[in-house]
Amino acid sequence: MDSTKIFNELAQNYTIGRPIYADSLIDSLYADYGFSDKSTIADIGSGTGKFSSQLLDRKSLVYCVEPNDDMRIIAEAELKACDNFHSVKGTADNTCLEDNSADFITVAQAFHWFDVDAFKKECKRILKPDGRIVLIWNTRNLSADINQKCAEIYKKYCAKFRGFNGGIAHDDERIKRFFDKGYELKEFDNPLYYDKEKFINRCLSSSYSLKPNDAGYDEYMSLFEELFDKYNTDGKLCVPNKSVAYIGKV
């Protein structure tokens, strides 16, 4: 299946349910790695603009490159008031950006969909000399009961489930192959808090999730609702999580 179409019909679930990234991660990028309000940043696979919005809040110029029309349209609606926001219909291996145009390249929750070698080639084309690339994920704490229970439901009902974050592991081989010159790994606590609507939308926003017309959907939905009811406190559910960044050059 064309990976650019995987999130067709999921954009609304995504924008409601998906979290942003740890403020401490953003602080570190701007304090320790040269990001600034003068930076031009290419955010590749930008989706509905969750991570891009945090860069735009720091007044950086951000080119949001997203191939999926549903996701890109939502980003355009939500970020249109930001003067430094530029929406681009492009892919990881064909961003449609100019040569040597980006100070930094960021990828939040999307690298696992990319062809590693083709993306590396495109990065070398669009990145300015000595520019850095940052690969980012929100990563669940798998020792937490709530995350273990979610995984059990996905394993039972979702044939395409290969683990959270597209099956990307800590220091994954694909990351090592991409950053063949080495990288830094930074981790920041980012516990996630959901009301019931956001939790259900988060569960449904995954590429492998069942959809309303799939067999077993009603039972599947009931199990996630029961999870929320069991683990919430006063209508809020805390999901242990951290924001993880791999930072390097190619």
Side-chain angles (χ1 to χ4, degrees), residues 63-118:
Y63 286 89
C64 297
V65 180
E66 172 56 47
N68 184 277
D69 292 340
D70 293 351
M71 305 279 268
R72 196 178 60 259
I73 287 168
I74 287 179
E76 289 170 352
E78 295 195 349
L79 301 176
K80 64 183 178 182
C82 300
D83 292 338
N84 286 344
F85 164 66
H86 296 276
S87 181
V88 181
K89 182 172 183 176
T91 63
D93 56 4
N94 183 19
T95 62
C96 302
L97 301 181
E98 295 182 1
D99 294 356
N100 303 312
S101 59
D103 296 301
F104 300 96
I105 293 172
T106 58
V107 183
Q109 221 75 25
F111 176 78
H112 47 276
W113 297 116
F114 298 171
D115 178 304
V116 172
D117 296 324

Side-chain angles (χ1 to χ4, degrees), residues 6-118:
I6 286 172
F7 287 95
N8 285 355
E9 303 176 11
L10 294 178
Q12 200 61 45
N13 301 122
Y14 202 102
T15 197
I16 294 172
R18 290 293 179 116
I20 58 173
Y21 300 83
D23 288 338
S24 51
L25 164 60
I26 309 301
D27 290 342
S28 179
L29 293 178
Y30 282 81
D32 305 325
Y33 294 97
F35 282 57
S36 76
D37 58 1
K38 303 295 191 297
S39 298
T40 297
I41 304 170
D43 190 26
I44 312 300
S46 53
T48 61
K50 292 288 185 178
F51 184 70
S52 302
S53 67
Q54 294 178 271
L55 302 174
L56 289 163
D57 285 345
R58 302 296 182 105
K59 308 303 181 184
S60 296
L61 181 67
V62 183
Y63 286 89
C64 297
V65 180
E66 172 56 47
N68 184 277
D69 292 340
D70 293 351
M71 305 279 268
R72 196 178 60 259
I73 287 168
I74 287 179
E76 289 170 352
E78 295 195 349
L79 301 176
K80 64 183 178 182
C82 300
D83 292 338
N84 286 344
F85 164 66
H86 296 276
S87 181
V88 181
K89 182 172 183 176
T91 63
D93 56 4
N94 183 19
T95 62
C96 302
L97 301 181
E98 295 182 1
D99 294 356
N100 303 312
S101 59
D103 296 301
F104 300 96
I105 293 172
T106 58
V107 183
Q109 221 75 25
F111 176 78
H112 47 276
W113 297 116
F114 298 171
D115 178 304
V116 172
D117 296 324

Side-chain angles (χ1 to χ4, degrees), residues 129-150:
D130 211 36
R132 285 190 175 98
I133 302 161
V134 187
L135 308 181
I136 301 153
W137 284 269
N138 269 322
T139 302
R140 306 179 197 224
N141 179 347
L142 296 181
S143 67
D145 284 351
I146 182 64
N147 289 325
Q148 292 178 10
K149 297 299 184 184
C150 283

